[in-house]
Amino acid sequence: MEKKFYLTTAIAYTSSKPHIGNVYEAILADSIVRYKKKDGYDTYFQTGTDEHGLKIQQKAEKMGMTPKAHVDIVSQELKDTYKLMNVDYDHFIRTTDDYHEEEVAKAFEKMLKKGDIYKGKYEGYYCVDCETYFTEKDLVDGCCPECGSKVTKNSEECYFLRLEKYRPQLLKYIDEHPDFIQPESRKNEMINNFLKNPIPDLCVSRTSFTWGIKVPSDPKHVVYVWIDALLNYITGIGYKVDGNNGELFNKYWPADVHLIGKDILRFHTIYWPIMLMSLEIPLPKKVFGHPWILMNHNKMSKSKGNVIYADQLTKIFGVDAVRYYVLHEIPFAADGNLTYELVCERTNSDLANTYGNLVSRTIAMVKKYFGDEKITKATKTEFDENLINTFKNATAKYKEAMDNYKVADGLEEAMKALRAANKYIDETAPWVLAKDEAKKDVLKNVLYNLLEAIRIGTVLLEPALPETASKVYNALNTKLTSFEDLEFCKVDSYNVSSCEILFKRLDVNKDVMDIVLAEEAKKEKEEAKPVTPSKEEISIDDFEKLELVVGQILEAKKHPKADKLLVFKINIGTEVRQIVSGIAKFYNPDELVGKKVIVVKNLKPISLRGEESRGMLLCASDEKDSYLELVNIDKCKPGDIVR
C-alpha cells in the first residue's frame, strides 16, 4: 500500500517581513517532510500567505498603496526567505488566488444555506492585530488577551457560524482520536478552557472594511479572515464545493498534520473542525501546536524591537547551521531560546566539533595513510561492536522521535551517535596503528567504520542539513543514503574525495558580535541620514507650467508589444486621450477601469513601442520601485483642474 503524507503549515500573515520565529515553522515542516520522503512516503507540503483583513488594509493605506500591492511584496519576501532556508514546498497558496477566493465564497454560501451560518448583530471588542473578536470578560486590563494590543468596541450587522451545535460532535471526535491535538497539554487546554462548556457562536463577516472576499448573496459583507484562511488547506489541493474535487484532494485529504503555532490552536482545533463538519468533509488526522522561539526568553515582537531575521543569521552562521539550531533547540512542547551567542555555541559544539571535525579528521586520515586505496572492512577491534550498537540504538530512537514530530530529540540522537564515533577515534588511536605495518588491516577497518558512521549519521541529519549532507555524500562517493541503508557494512568499499570544511569554528566576539554591532551601527547611520531633495528646487513659475487635470479611465489593456506597459483611454473632460504607462507590473488592467486619476495634460505626445501616448499619469513609489500606487481621486469629475 502506497504511503501518503500531506502536511501544511499555517499560512503567514502578510503584514510585514517574517522574522526567524515566523520562519521556524516552515523549517520544521520542511525537515519533517524530508524525513518522510526518506522513509518512503509520497509527500505533499503546502504553505503560503494569508492576505486579507482589516490589519492589512490599514497597513497598506498607511504606506500609501493598495492592499494587493502590499501583499504582493510581503508574499514575495516570504518566498525569498523560504528559498534562502531551503524550504522545499510543493505548493505556495495565496488567499488572493482566484480559485481560493471562489471556493471560499461558495463554502460560505453552502454553510449559510444549510443554516450553520445565520445573520445577526455583533456587539463586542475586536483586536485588529489578531483579527479576533472578544467579549468584555475576555479582555485583560481592557486590552487583547492574546497580544496586549488595544481593542475597539464594535456594533454591526454580521453573520455568525453556529459552534455550539457541533461542540458535542467535536468532543466525541477528540475522545475517539486522542492524538488529534498534540502535544497532550494543548489538547487539555482546548478542552478545559473552551470545549468543556457551551461556546458562543463565531462572528464570520464584517462590514467595516472592504479588503476581503465578499459574501456573494450579501456583498456589503466581507468573509471573516479566519474562515478565508483556514479553507486554504483544502482549496490549495483542489477542493470544490460542488463535489468535483481535484486529483490532489482525492489523493491526500485528510491532511496528516496541520503544523501551527500554539497561539492559533483554538482556530485550528475548534473553528476549523466545525467548518469541516458543516461542509461534511473528513477532519485532519492531527493538529500539532509547536512552541515558540524566544529572543532572550521573550516572545519576538517588532514593536519590542527584539526580532532577528533569517537572512541576518545566515550571513554569519550559514543556512544549515541556522536550520540545525532552531530545530535542535525548540523542544516538542516547550519554548526555545535564541541569541547570537547561543547559536554560536551550538554551531561550534555540535556542527564544527562533533560532526564537521569527525568528517575532516577521518577523510584526512584516509588520504594520509592510504592515499587513493579503497577502504574496506578488515580486522576488527574490541571497540567495533560498541560503536555499531550505539548507531543501531540511536537510529531506532531517532526514527521513533521523528515519527512523533519530536525533531529536536531525533537530532540529538544523531549527534549522540556521532559523539560515539569521535570517542571511537580516541579508543582506537589510528595514528598509533599507522606506525605498525602489522596493524594496517586494523587501521583500515577503523577508518571503514568511521566512514560508515559518517554516512549513517549524515542520513539522520539530512532532513535538517540538506546542503551539508549533499557535500558529505559527494566526499564519500556513496549513493547509499536511504533509510534502508541505515546499517553498518552496507558499503562494500570507500574511495573518498577531499571535503571542504563543513562548519567553521566561530569566535563569539570576533566572528559574531562584532559583525552584529557593525550592522546595527550601519543601520542607525543610514536611518540618521538627512533627507535631501533628489532634484533641484523649482519656482512657482516652473510648477505653473504643468497642467494637471482629473481623468477617468474608460479602457485599460496590455500593450501588444511590451509586457511592462498598459494602454489607457482616459476621459479628461474635453476629450478622450490615449496614454501609455509602465505600471503593468503592479496592476491588472481590469481593476483600473472607472478609476479617476491625475493626468499631466500638456506633456508632448510620444510613441511608446508603436502606441501614441498623450500625457502622463501620476504615481507614487519607493526608490527601488518595489511597489507603486496610482494616485486616485474620488469626488472630482473628469476635467477638474488639480492645483
Side-chain angles (χ1 to χ4, degrees):
M1 183 177 177
E2 185 183 19
K3 298 192 296 184
K4 297 187 290 288
F5 183 78
Y6 176 37
L7 177 146
T8 73
T9 68
I11 49 177
Y13 203 51
T14 45
S15 56
S16 56
K17 178 180 176 179
H19 55 67
I20 188 62
N22 305 135
V23 179
Y24 159 67
E25 180 173 295
I27 298 172
L28 177 61
D30 179 75
S31 69
I32 292 170
V33 172
R34 287 178 187 270
Y35 166 78
K36 289 293 184 181
K37 280 182 180 178
K38 291 190 77 65
D39 202 24
Y41 282 80
D42 175 358
T43 65
Y44 198 81
F45 171 16
Q46 178 173 293
T47 188
T49 42
D50 178 5
E51 303 187 4
H52 291 127
L54 177 59
K55 184 177 180 180
I56 286 177
Q57 180 173 313
Q58 291 178 341
K59 185 71 177 281
E61 289 171 353
K62 186 177 180 181
M63 298 179 71
M65 64 172 68
T66 63
K68 185 60 166 64
H70 169 68
V71 296
D72 283 348
I73 294 168
V74 180
S75 181
Q76 188 58 51
E77 283 181 331
L78 187 69
K79 286 183 178 180
D80 292 343
T81 301
Y82 285 177
K83 184 177 180 180
L84 170 69
M85 300 309 300
N86 286 324
V87 174
D88 188 18
Y89 51 80
D90 293 289
H91 180 54
F92 190 100
I93 186 172
R94 300 179 59 183
T95 55
T96 52
D97 290 337
D98 292 343
Y99 68 88
H100 172 77
E101 292 187 337
E102 182 180 347
E103 295 307 319
V104 168
K106 289 179 180 178
F108 191 97
E109 291 293 331
K110 181 175 181 177
M111 290 186 282
L112 178 63
K113 186 176 181 180
K114 190 176 180 180
D116 288 342
I117 287 179
Y118 64 92
K119 185 182 282 189
K121 185 177 182 181
Y122 173 77
E123 291 184 345
Y125 298 86
Y126 186 71
C127 174
V128 174
D129 287 343
C130 295
E131 298 280 4
T132 306
Y133 303 92
F134 297 99
T135 63
E136 188 170 8
K137 68 180 179 61
D138 294 325
L139 305 180
V140 178
D141 296 328
C143 296
C144 172
E146 301 288 344
C147 70
S149 299
K150 291 182 178 179
V151 294
T152 56
K153 189 173 183 179
N154 292 339
S155 177
E156 61 180 309
E157 176 189 272
C158 63
Y159 287 91
F160 290 86
L161 173 67
R162 299 185 191 278
L163 300 183
E164 181 59 23
K165 173 183 175 181
Y166 290 98
R167 183 174 67 89
Q169 185 178 338
L170 179 55
L171 275 170
K172 184 173 183 289
Y173 182 87
I174 294 171
D175 182 59
E176 293 174 350
H177 300 80
D179 292 332
F180 174 58
I181 304 174
Q182 288 291 310
E184 184 77 12
S185 59
R186 310 266 190 261
K187 178 175 73 174
N188 296 335
E189 176 188 343
M190 290 301 105
I191 292 174
N192 294 330
N193 292 354
F194 299 102
L195 291 171
K196 186 181 284 186
N197 301 307
I199 47 178
D201 293 340
L202 177 68
C203 177
V204 292
S205 76
R206 296 294 304 276
T207 59
S208 55
F209 63 92
T210 58
W211 180 239
I213 300 170
K214 295 186 183 301
V215 175
S217 59
D218 198 352
K220 71 179 180 180
H221 285 264
V222 170
V223 176
Y224 178 43
V225 66
W226 274 103
I227 299 291
D228 168 11
L230 288 165
L231 282 165
N232 94 88
Y233 303 131
I234 52 177
T235 62
I237 54 171
Y239 167 74
K240 300 291 183 182
V241 175
D242 63 8
N244 189 27
N245 300 316
E247 181 182 343
L248 289 175
F249 181 84
N250 293 332
K251 180 179 182 180
Y252 288 110
W253 191 262
D256 290 271
V257 60
H258 290 318
L259 189 64
I260 61 163
K262 63 180 183 179
D263 51 327
I264 54 175
L265 201 67
R266 173 163 49 103
F267 301 93
H268 285 80
T269 59
I270 299 177
Y271 306 155
W272 176 228
I274 287 174
M275 287 167 57
L276 290 172
M277 289 173 177
S278 176
L279 293 168
E280 300 174 12
I281 301 171
L283 270 57
K285 298 174 186 176
K286 191 185 297 293
V287 178
F288 175 50
H290 66 75
W292 290 333
I293 295 179
L294 304 179
M295 177 64 178
N296 275 328
H297 300 287
N298 292 304
K299 185 180 178 182
M300 288 192 194
S301 166
K302 291 182 177 68
S303 60
K304 294 178 182 177
N306 69 338
V307 300
I308 298 179
Y309 296 97
D311 52 356
Q312 292 174 308
L313 287 166
T314 57
K315 282 179 184 177
I316 299 172
F317 302 103
V319 172
D320 274 2
V322 175
R323 283 176 61 103
Y324 180 82
Y325 181 85
V326 297
L327 293 172
H328 185 275
E329 295 302 305
I330 316 301
F332 178 70
D335 295 334
N337 196 34
L338 184 147
T339 66
Y340 285 103
E341 294 89 344
L342 288 173
V343 180
C344 181
E345 181 181 325
R346 180 60 64 186
T347 300
N348 286 343
S349 63
D350 285 9
L351 300 181
N353 291 354
T354 299
Y355 182 42
N357 192 39
L358 173 65
V359 174
S360 60
R361 287 173 76 190
T362 301
I363 290 178
M365 287 189 291
V366 169
K367 291 298 184 183
K368 180 178 179 180
Y369 301 137
F370 291 95
D372 293 330
E373 184 179 339
K374 289 185 177 180
I375 304 300
T376 61
K377 53 186 175 182
T379 305
K380 294 181 179 180
T381 76
E382 61 181 299
F383 305 105
D384 294 3
E385 186 176 350
N386 185 56
L387 177 69
I388 293 170
N389 286 336
T390 298
F391 269 79
K392 183 178 180 180
N393 293 335
T395 297
K397 291 179 180 178
Y398 166 88
K399 281 191 166 185
E400 181 183 0
M402 295 295 287
D403 284 338
N404 289 288
Y405 311 121
K406 297 183 178 182
V407 177
D409 293 346
L411 292 179
E412 183 55 28
E413 289 301 327
M415 204 53 64
K416 285 179 182 176
L418 292 168
R419 293 186 193 111
N422 280 297
K423 181 183 178 185
Y424 179 74
I425 294 178
D426 295 334
E427 291 170 334
T428 57
W431 51 91
V432 175
L433 296 174
K435 295 176 182 179
D436 187 347
E437 185 65 24
K439 298 289 181 65
K440 186 174 182 179
D441 269 4
V442 179
L443 174 60
K444 182 179 287 189
N445 188 73
V446 167
L447 295 177
Y448 173 85
N449 283 337
L450 288 171
L451 292 171
E452 280 287 78
I454 290 169
R455 180 183 65 83
I456 295 169
T458 301
V459 173
L460 301 183
L461 290 175
E462 184 183 344
L465 309 176
E467 283 186 10
T468 305
S470 179
K471 293 175 185 177
V472 175
Y473 295 149
N474 288 336
L476 298 180
N477 288 315
T478 183
K479 297 188 182 300
L480 297 180
T481 62
S482 75
F483 284 165
E484 295 177 355
D485 305 316
L486 289 176
E487 295 178 19
F488 267 74
C489 303
K490 272 281 186 176
V491 177
D492 292 329
S493 64
Y494 280 100
N495 185 16
V496 301
S497 306
S498 60
C499 184
E500 63 183 80
I501 295 175
L502 299 178
F503 298 96
K504 177 186 173 185
R505 183 171 175 80
L506 301 171
D507 180 278
V508 70
N509 293 316
K510 180 181 176 183
D511 298 316
V512 179
M513 296 315 299
D514 282 356
I515 296 174
V516 173
L517 294 173
E519 285 292 321
E520 290 178 354
K522 180 182 177 182
K523 183 180 177 182
E524 290 177 2
K525 187 175 180 180
E526 288 175 351
E527 291 175 349
K529 285 181 180 178
V531 178
T532 56
S534 57
K535 297 180 181 179
E536 64 179 80
E537 293 181 345
I538 63 172
S539 67
I540 189 66
D541 294 332
D542 293 320
F543 182 75
E544 287 289 346
K545 293 177 182 178
L546 290 174
E547 186 176 3
L548 304 177
V549 298
V550 174
Q552 187 166 26
I553 298 174
L554 304 178
E555 180 184 304
K557 62 182 181 180
K558 291 187 176 181
H559 194 294
K561 298 179 182 178
D563 293 338
K564 295 182 179 180
L565 301 178
L566 296 181
V567 181
F568 297 95
K569 299 292 186 187
I570 299 181
N571 175 14
I572 60 170
T574 56
E575 61 181 306
V576 175
R577 283 195 180 181
Q578 177 168 292
I579 295 176
V580 181
S581 181
I583 62 174
K585 175 183 175 182
F586 303 96
Y587 286 100
N588 184 315
D590 294 340
E591 67 180 301
L592 296 175
V593 175
K595 286 190 177 292
K596 295 175 184 176
V597 294
I598 298 178
V599 177
V600 181
K601 182 179 179 181
N602 60 333
L603 196 66
K604 289 181 180 180
I606 59 171
S607 178
L608 294 173
R609 299 293 295 273
E611 294 283 347
E612 183 187 43
S613 182
R614 298 177 58 216
M616 180 180 288
L617 305 182
L618 293 193
C619 302
S621 70
D622 65 351
E623 292 180 357
K624 299 178 181 178
D625 286 335
S626 58
Y627 60 85
L628 179 141
E629 178 84 6
L630 189 64
V631 177
N632 193 26
I633 299 292
D634 289 326
K635 295 183 179 179
C636 296
K637 63 182 184 298
D640 284 354
I641 299 171
V642 178
R643 298 181 173 86

